[in-house]
Amino acid sequence: MTWIRPLAAHAPRPCTLVVCRGCCCGDPRKNPGTDHAGQLARLREAADASGGRLAVRTSDCLGPCERANVIVVQPTTEARRRGARAVWFGWALDDTATDEIIAWAESGGPGTAPLPATLDLHRIDPPEPKPAATPRRGRRR
């Protein structure tokens, strides 16, 4: 049997916004003055209008809950090849932060466009990776 790789496996990846919508991000009880649904809708509209240069995904929880709302901007395939890495933003709660993230991502994002000074104020470190769980061995009797 011949295995054929799907064409999409080689497609270049656009600049991608990963929007946390877990326990704290997107929760009106934690940040009641923020239009969480409106923010996600605006990000998706920007991706739809980008002609494929921008994508939006949601994640159940990205980790730094005390910095909600968290948005991670991942570089394009080409920028990643040149060494660019994802940039994490926290406290993205108002229209200004959302507008600036959209504008930076539309201009290319990590590794392509310089990070505006105002967005640098929202930049956070990604959470430390959790240690791998060790497999549990069966009980001896």
Side-chain angles (χ1 to χ4, degrees):
M1 175 178 195
T2 304
W3 186 77
I4 299 173
R5 182 181 296 241
L7 289 175
H10 293 290
R13 182 173 155 181
C15 183
T16 303
L17 304 175
V18 181
V19 184
C20 186
R21 284 298 181 254
C23 64
C24 296
C25 295
D27 185 347
R29 291 171 298 175
K30 181 166 183 162
N31 292 298
T34 300
D35 180 3
H36 302 284
Q39 179 188 51
L40 186 56
R42 290 181 58 223
L43 294 169
R44 287 183 171 154
E45 287 168 10
D48 290 344
S50 75
R53 292 178 299 111
L54 183 63
V56 174
R57 294 183 5 218
T58 58
S59 173
D60 186 38
C61 185
L62 292 171
C65 300
E66 69 281 1
R67 295 180 182 123
N69 286 346
V70 175
I71 299 175
V72 179
V73 181
Q74 297 177 329
T76 64
T77 301
E78 184 56 36
R80 189 172 290 277
R81 281 190 196 118
R82 293 190 313 261
R85 294 294 171 250
V87 178
W88 288 60
F89 297 103
W91 304 288
L93 296 168
D94 60 18
D95 289 339
T96 302
T98 303
D99 290 341
E100 290 174 352
I101 290 170
I102 290 170
W104 185 57
E106 286 177 336
S107 67
T112 303
L115 183 67
T118 51
L119 262 186
D120 195 39
L121 296 172
H122 286 276
R123 199 163 58 109
I124 61 173
D125 291 328
E128 292 291 322
K130 294 180 180 173
T134 56
R136 295 183 69 171
R137 298 178 187 251
R139 288 185 172 183
R140 292 186 179 186
R141 293 184 187 199

